[in-house]
Amino acid sequence: MFEKLINNFTLLTSFLFFGNMARSRYLKGKVSRAVDYFVSGIVLGLFGLLLMQFTFSVNKLVIADFRQIAIIVSVYLGGAVSGFWTTLIIAGYRLYFLHGISSASVLAALNAVLTYVIAASLLPRKNNHLSKWAMVVGLSLVSTMAIFYVTLQENVLRIVLPYSLVFGMAGLFTYYLLRYLRRSDDLLDMMREAAHRDFLTGLYNSRAFQTFFESKVVTSRAASEVFSLLVVDIDHFKRVNDTYGHAAGDAVLQQLAHVLRDTFGPEDHIARKGGEEFVVIVDHCGRDRIKTAAERLRRNVERHVFALPGGGTLRITVSVGAAVFPDIDAHELFDKADQALYAAKESGRNRVCLISA
């Protein structure tokens, strides 16, 4: 028994670890949640079938496996939708394919459904603490004991302790493994996000913006869509640093980032290019609309009162250069927008200039 139990724990660990890696790479954030939960449910259902092939003897009367763990994990990761598909596969296989329909197969399928109902009721998508997990495992154990009682009757007391220990160990082990994997994923996501963000403003950095720009050009060409590029520069920013200090300059940059976010929509892409210069991709916006959008930004900055760290306030202005794709080819778009920005500076600052193709 001990050797088979170790094999089951090894199988459980390997599947959860490598399955989590595959899900993070190919599903998470790359497909819709519905697809993610469907695929996760199917894969965990198949994993449940695999667990059913690696049975171990609890005693002379009972041969057990960890199929219920697969159902609980599925609900934990993908909610009721994922758990439904996992349960359907496990219950259907046990009912129709393992040894055919019998009283034992019906009860085993019912046990899988009860485990699903318990998990779906008690494991919400957030705040899945150990107490909730332990309650699910405990109630699932009770349902299994009820099945044993129906099938074994007077012998059930002889298997309560060993089966409870084995199933409880498996449940606790799985919980801590899942929590470790989830925290690792969260930390990795934070590191990836931090690598793409400007440390001061929280906007995308220049490298991330370049990656997005290249992707945007490809998709826009394929779909014959239009977008505009704005290059935004703070007028006389050096005076701010020289007069009020670099802490004030940093505060101005941070607050300007807020103005940019408030001016443009979530579908637009904003980045700090460097120093006091920012770039914006305004989605689905051509020559007929981009100057209006850029003027709105210029006015919003002009009207905004910037708070200084040591007290007091400051007003600033920005100059904006604009260029439109595909009127201007992608490899020239940044240069043309920079030329438009230079023209706005030369004509007196606090202006918007849209360059012609």
Side-chain angles (χ1 to χ4, degrees):
M1 172 187 170
F2 183 75
E3 181 181 349
K4 291 185 177 180
L5 192 59
I6 292 297
N7 289 340
N8 271 266
F9 275 102
T10 302
L11 180 64
L12 192 61
T13 303
S14 301
F15 178 84
L16 291 178
F17 183 79
F18 291 108
N20 183 73
M21 288 178 58
R23 182 173 182 244
S24 298
R25 179 163 186 173
Y26 297 110
L27 294 178
K28 190 176 179 182
K30 297 178 174 63
V31 298
S32 67
R33 283 190 176 184
V35 173
D36 181 8
Y37 295 164
F38 172 75
V39 173
S40 297
I42 296 296
V43 172
L44 280 162
L46 297 175
F47 176 59
L49 302 190
L50 181 62
L51 288 172
M52 293 167 68
Q53 307 306 313
F54 284 82
T55 58
F56 54 90
S57 298
V58 176
N59 57 29
K60 295 179 180 180
L61 298 172
V62 176
I63 296 176
D65 56 63
F66 291 152
R67 75 187 78 169
Q68 289 163 281
I69 298 296
I71 296 173
I72 298 172
V73 169
S74 185
V75 175
Y76 178 87
L77 295 177
V81 174
S82 178
F84 169 80
W85 293 109
T86 302
T87 305
L88 184 65
I89 291 173
I90 292 174
Y93 178 79
R94 182 64 182 89
L95 190 60
Y96 293 106
F97 298 103
L98 189 57
H99 297 297
I101 297 178
S102 64
S103 59
S105 64
V106 170
L107 289 172
L110 179 60
N111 192 28
V113 173
L114 286 174
T115 299
Y116 166 69
V117 171
I118 292 166
S121 301
L122 296 178
L123 285 181
R125 292 292 295 142
K126 295 181 180 180
N127 301 322
N128 286 323
H129 298 302
L130 178 59
S131 58
K132 290 285 185 70
W133 181 276
M135 189 179 299
V136 170
V137 172
L139 290 175
S140 178
L141 181 61
V142 168
S143 72
T144 303
M145 289 299 128
I147 301 298
F148 285 154
Y149 179 78
V150 172
T151 55
L152 301 175
Q153 296 181 353
E154 70 276 0
N155 296 311
V156 68
L157 294 178
R158 296 171 55 187
I159 65 170
V160 169
L161 182 59
Y163 184 80
S164 298
L165 286 174
V166 170
F167 192 75
M169 287 171 53
L172 192 64
F173 171 80
T174 303
Y175 172 79
Y176 281 108
L177 180 58
L178 286 173
R179 192 172 71 166
Y180 169 78
L181 293 173
R182 178 163 286 184
R183 287 182 175 178
S184 298
D185 282 348
D186 290 343
L187 287 173
L188 186 59
D189 289 342
M190 289 173 60
M191 291 174 63
R192 285 172 178 165
E193 184 67 12
H196 289 85
R197 294 285 179 177
D198 173 60
F199 73 96
L200 181 63
T201 63
L203 299 175
Y204 289 103
N205 58 29
S206 182
R207 181 176 58 183
F209 187 85
Q210 183 62 36
T211 301
F212 177 82
F213 174 76
E214 292 170 359
S215 174
K216 183 65 180 174
V217 169
V218 172
T219 57
S220 296
R221 278 176 175 160
S224 299
E225 294 177 343
V226 63
F227 70 87
S228 293
L229 174 68
L230 300 181
V231 180
V232 182
D233 189 82
I234 301 175
D235 297 326
H236 302 298
F237 183 70
K238 187 175 183 300
R239 293 181 187 175
V240 176
N241 284 326
D242 292 345
T243 305
Y244 301 100
H246 288 282
D250 289 347
V252 167
L253 292 172
Q254 290 171 333
Q255 293 170 67
L256 179 57
H258 289 298
V259 176
L260 284 162
R261 291 191 190 98
D262 291 341
T263 302
F264 297 100
E267 71 280 2
D268 302 320
H269 204 80
I270 310 168
R272 182 185 177 196
K273 190 177 180 183
E276 68 271 25
E277 191 169 274
F278 298 80
V279 285
V280 185
I281 286 180
V282 188
D283 205 17
H284 302 294
C285 190
R287 294 185 63 85
D288 56 334
R289 293 171 49 208
I290 188 55
K291 194 157 187 180
T292 301
E295 279 289 347
R296 183 171 66 250
L297 170 64
R298 186 195 64 77
R299 289 194 304 270
N300 288 348
V301 175
E302 187 178 37
R303 294 168 182 170
H304 186 81
V305 179
F306 290 79
L308 299 178
T313 58
L314 176 69
R315 290 183 182 272
I316 64 169
T317 61
V318 293
S319 298
V320 184
V324 178
F325 176 88
D327 295 358
I328 298 173
D329 196 63
H331 73 276
E332 293 184 314
L333 202 61
F334 273 102
D335 289 340
K336 293 294 185 181
D338 268 331
Q339 291 175 23
L341 174 65
Y342 182 77
K345 295 278 190 182
E346 287 292 297
S347 59
R349 293 183 170 82
N350 193 22
R351 283 171 170 77
V352 172
C353 181
L354 173 61
I355 198 161
S356 300

